[in-house]
Amino acid sequence: MAGKKEEARDNGRGVVISNHWPGYDLDLFTYPQHYYEDLNYVLIPHGVIVDRIERLAKDIMNDIGYSDIMVLCVLKGGYKFCADLVEHLKNISRNSDTFISMKVDFIRLKSYQNDQSMGDMQIIGGDDLSQLAGKNVLIVEDVVGTGRTMKSLLDKIEKYKPNMIKVASLLVKRTPRNNSFRPDYTGFEIPDLFVVGYALDYNEYFRDLNHICVISEQGKAKYRV
Ligand code: IMP
Ligand code: MG
């Protein structure tokens, strides 16, 4: 119906990719040939990722577009998602009467070695978080697995007394190890698989891959540290 508001009907889960989803054969797409045999299949093609982010940007604008936002990008895995999300937010803002003032800041954490969560979150870099006091903060993260990384980051950021904190995660894994943390905005809910590409890495490899793919056993062995 014309003029009807499009409400997301996903219960906050985003695009749900089932455990039976076979993905796409790699050779139906282009990918860096040095990863030949290091990947099993394409879980989410690049174009679908970007289309979904466009909708997330719209949802975010509808919810918090009236206020100034401090976008806090969690590096390195979040950089592609953050860049594309900010681009869409800017486009919406430019083409509507809703005015949004955005600042972008970067933070670096590390919790994974090989494909295992290390428990303790290390902060490798980042700005002076005291600048977040009184701000509306949008944390932009690549993937929530156990949720531990995001919980400890939120605990740290809350101490700086921002006015509001929202979390956007491109991916959320369906895993029994999740401590029930749910982002405010989710791109895709995926099976409990280790995925790479679109800036998500395995020991720093695969960030130069456009699609989100499932790594093969051979790939894990080859790039293990
Ligand atoms: P969590 O603490 O288990 O939720 O893990 C979150 C962090 O681990 C994310 O910010 C990622 O950087 C990393 N991570 C978790 N799963 C994956 C994956 O499948 N591929 C790449 N990185 C991952
Ligand atoms: Mg991350």
Side-chain angles (χ1 to χ4, degrees), residues 74-78 109-112 114-115 117-119 141-152 169 171 173 175 177-179 181 190 193-197 199-202 207 213:
V74 183
L75 295 173
K76 299 177 184 174
L109 319 166
K110 203 167 164 121
S111 67
Y112 269 66
N114 295 320
D115 55 354
S117 187
M118 304 282 279
E141 169 70 309
D142 53 356
V143 43
V144 170
T146 62
R148 255 183 273 154
T149 306
M150 205 27 70
K151 262 210 105 270
S152 31
S169 184
L171 309 174
K173 286 191 194 180
T175 161
R177 290 170 284 112
N178 191 303
N179 61 15
F181 172 78
I190 63 167
L193 298 163
F194 199 84
V195 292
V196 293
L200 279 80
D201 74 310
Y202 175 83
R207 292 199 206 270
C213 298

Side-chain angles (χ1 to χ4, degrees), residues 95-155:
N95 293 306
S96 79
D97 298 329
T98 325
F99 177 76
I100 185 171
S101 154
M102 260 187 304
K103 286 187 178 150
V104 187
D105 201 350
F106 301 90
I107 195 166
R108 249 189 106 181
L109 319 166
K110 203 167 164 121
S111 67
Y112 269 66
Q113 196 157 52
N114 295 320
D115 55 354
Q116 297 301 310
S117 187
M118 304 282 279
D120 217 27
M121 183 190 80
Q122 296 168 263
I123 297 181
I124 299 177
D127 269 355
D128 182 5
L129 295 178
S130 64
Q131 292 170 19
L132 300 178
K135 301 268 167 51
N136 298 313
V137 179
L138 177 69
I139 298 176
V140 179
E141 169 70 309
D142 53 356
V143 43
V144 170
T146 62
R148 255 183 273 154
T149 306
M150 205 27 70
K151 262 210 105 270
S152 31
L153 178 59
L154 283 173
D155 286 348

Side-chain angles (χ1 to χ4, degrees), residues 12 56 60 63-64 69-72 74 81 85 136-144 147 149-155 157-158 164-172 181-187:
L56 286 179
I60 291 168
D63 290 353
I64 55 175
I69 300 176
M70 171 64 88
V71 178
L72 198 62
V74 183
F81 177 35
L85 185 66
N136 298 313
V137 179
L138 177 69
I139 298 176
V140 179
E141 169 70 309
D142 53 356
V143 43
V144 170
T149 306
M150 205 27 70
K151 262 210 105 270
S152 31
L153 178 59
L154 283 173
D155 286 348
I157 288 179
E158 271 159 11
M164 179 198 83
I165 311 178
K166 297 276 184 191
V167 177
S169 184
L170 181 63
L171 309 174
V172 172
F181 172 78
R182 280 274 170 187
D184 301 281
Y185 305 97
T186 300

